[in-house]
Amino acid sequence: MKSHTVYRTFNTGRRREFVRITEDVQQAVDDSGVSEGLALVSAMHITAGVWVNDDEPGIQADALEWLDKLAPATWQEPPNDVARELLPDGGDYRHHRGGEDNGDAHLKNLLVHHQVILPVTDGRLDLGPWQAVFYCEFDGQRNKRLVIKVLGD
Amino acid sequence: MKSHTVYRTFNTGRRREFVRITEDVQQAVDDSGVSEGLALVSAMHITAGVWVNDDEPGIQADALEWLDKLAPATWQEPPNDVARELLPDGGDYRHHRGGEDNGDAHLKNLLVHHQVILPVTDGRLDLGPWQAVFYCEFDGQRNKRLVIKVLGD
Amino acid sequence: MKSHTVYRTFNTGRRREFVRITEDVQQAVDDSGVSEGLALVSAMHITAGVWVNDDEPGIQADALEWLDKLAPATWQEPPNDVARELLPDGGDYRHHRGGEDNGDAHLKNLLVHHQVILPVTDGRLDLGPWQAVFYCEFDGQRNKRLVIKVLGD
């Protein structure tokens, strides 16, 4: 069995950002020499996710607006009454007692999930026509790491 | 290492539908000859998910009703006020500017997740007594593909 | 390829509980002899999840409070109006017609997801500095199983 591990570091200009990484993962597959296997793509932080979806800016803007309602931040005004009620009772995350302000990013990470597994067939990521891979930063502007691990023959 | 890849195409009669695929995945494991390994089951579209849950119609109806509140569609009336507020600001998904009407299905896909990994032990899917595998269609009535990839020895 | 499978049974004192299992998974990796590979950690029940997050009690309390709003239980008063509207129409889960009262736990399982895959590099779980692994019980006080499957070389 062949194995190849690549780490990538992100430092996004904005606090929240979607970064396309399909080509990085394919490059890791190429470098692994794996023809049949899989590629694990996993954020190494707990305030970032990995998402397979269409590379269409409207979807990403829709998703971020919606995530801000379902898992509201405290460093901005809640966007509506539903978001206000989905904030912690009392208004602030318990997690913030340690000085953090990213409680919402932990919940967004839960919703988006922090990893995907991509099948590798004939040396290529075996994706559907609209499937692209994104690193989803929810608390950026600092170094955050991602691991790509390719396994197979 | 053995590897076996199967594609399955769904064209559901209804727009949304849960299709049991446990036996399809077991068949792929049988055909692979893998005794110890895993089976990746992954939708190749971004408006469908894969779910491991009880094969009980009530759960599926509960889940769909609930997903329609959390990630509301625009082609039907929002079921209540929470759903109305979880719609995009302005009322329509940005993704629909390209002519689509399935913005909600992308968000349902995010919630359900588009893939699972099933352990294979002694040639059998190593599932708990109530675990069944479902393909979850959120924008059907057209051909959609799923990949099953079995790896192991 | 090496393969090693471990089952662990939980019987939590409380109905809902987060149990740290990072060390159990590392032990399974040690016992497997795998140096490069992956570890699948998967709940064998449909009312429990597996979560990778910070081992910080505030986050866990935040997450449980929030999950009780998004996927409300019927065996306690809904915590606010949003939770009330996210209950099934009519007020009770269809799944409860069979005598169960854990409909909410199936939806919490959907949100948290029932499994993670951990990369194994140089014989160690290849986790970020704040990543810990938790078994998330949403309907405990009875025996529930988890499978850990380590694959690699």
Side-chain angles (χ1 to χ4, degrees), chain B residues 32-108:
Chain B
S32 74
V34 166
S35 175
E36 294 293 320
L38 55 80
L40 170 65
V41 184
S42 195
M44 301 185 79
H45 289 256
I46 50 204
T47 51
V50 179
W51 194 27
V52 169
N53 216 289
D54 194 353
D55 192 354
E56 195 278 287
I59 285 183
Q60 294 167 24
D62 287 338
L64 189 54
E65 184 186 276
W66 175 77
L67 288 167
D68 267 341
K69 294 175 182 171
L70 283 183
T74 53
W75 49 266
Q76 61 184 13
E77 197 59 28
N80 64 19
D81 286 341
V82 164
R84 200 177 307 274
E85 291 207 36
L86 289 174
L87 278 169
D89 298 343
D92 200 11
Y93 291 100
R94 293 162 185 85
H95 180 52
H96 294 177
R97 292 179 301 206
E100 301 278 358
D101 71 343
N102 61 4
D104 69 297
H106 290 268
L107 301 181
K108 291 180 170 86

Side-chain angles (χ1 to χ4, degrees), chain B residues 36 38 53-54 56 59 61-62 65-66 69 80-82 111 113 116-117 120-121 126 128 130-131 153, chain C residues 1 3 7 40 43-44 46 70 85-89 93-95 106-107 109-111 113 115 149 151:
Chain B
E36 294 293 320
L38 55 80
N53 216 289
D54 194 353
E56 195 278 287
I59 285 183
D62 287 338
E65 184 186 276
W66 175 77
K69 294 175 182 171
N80 64 19
D81 286 341
V82 164
L111 290 172
H113 212 56
V116 298
I117 300 269
V120 176
T121 303
D126 200 351
W130 296 279
Q131 288 186 312
D153 270 346
Chain C
M1 200 195 66
S3 157
Y7 304 92
L40 170 65
M44 301 184 79
I46 50 204
L70 283 183
E85 290 206 35
L86 289 174
L87 278 169
D89 297 343
Y93 291 100
R94 293 163 185 83
H95 180 52
H106 289 268
L107 301 181
N109 159 283
L110 183 151
L111 291 172
H113 212 56
Q115 61 181 197
K149 190 153 200 125
L151 292 171

Side-chain angles (χ1 to χ4, degrees), chain C residues 13-149:
Chain C
R14 284 168 289 157
R15 181 156 184 161
R16 288 95 65 83
E17 206 165 310
F18 293 87
V19 183
R20 180 185 169 109
I21 56 170
T22 315
E23 291 69 25
D24 299 72
V25 184
Q26 181 61 54
Q27 186 63 51
V29 172
D30 293 347
D31 294 344
S32 73
V34 166
S35 176
E36 294 293 319
L38 55 81
L40 170 65
V41 184
S42 195
M44 301 184 79
H45 290 255
I46 50 204
T47 51
V50 179
W51 195 27
V52 168
N53 216 289
D54 194 354
D55 192 354
E56 197 277 287
I59 285 182
Q60 294 167 25
D62 287 337
L64 190 53
E65 186 185 276
W66 175 77
L67 287 167
D68 268 340
K69 293 175 182 170
L70 283 183
T74 53
W75 49 266
Q76 61 185 10
E77 197 58 28
N80 65 19
D81 287 341
V82 165
R84 200 176 307 273
E85 290 206 35
L86 289 174
L87 278 169
D89 297 343
D92 201 10
Y93 291 100
R94 293 163 185 83
H95 180 52
H96 294 177
R97 292 180 299 206
E100 300 279 356
D101 71 344
N102 61 5
D104 69 297
H106 289 268
L107 301 181
K108 290 179 171 85
N109 159 283
L110 183 151
L111 291 172
V112 172
H113 212 56
H114 74 290
Q115 61 181 197
V116 297
I117 301 267
L118 305 174
V120 176
T121 305
D122 285 337
R124 304 292 303 169
L125 293 177
D126 201 350
L127 296 171
W130 295 281
Q131 286 186 312
V133 190
F134 293 91
Y135 172 75
C136 307
E137 181 59 82
F138 298 120
D139 186 31
Q141 296 171 318
R142 56 195 174 100
N143 282 351
K144 307 275 288 272
R145 291 212 305 160
L146 174 93
V147 57
I148 302 170
K149 190 153 200 125

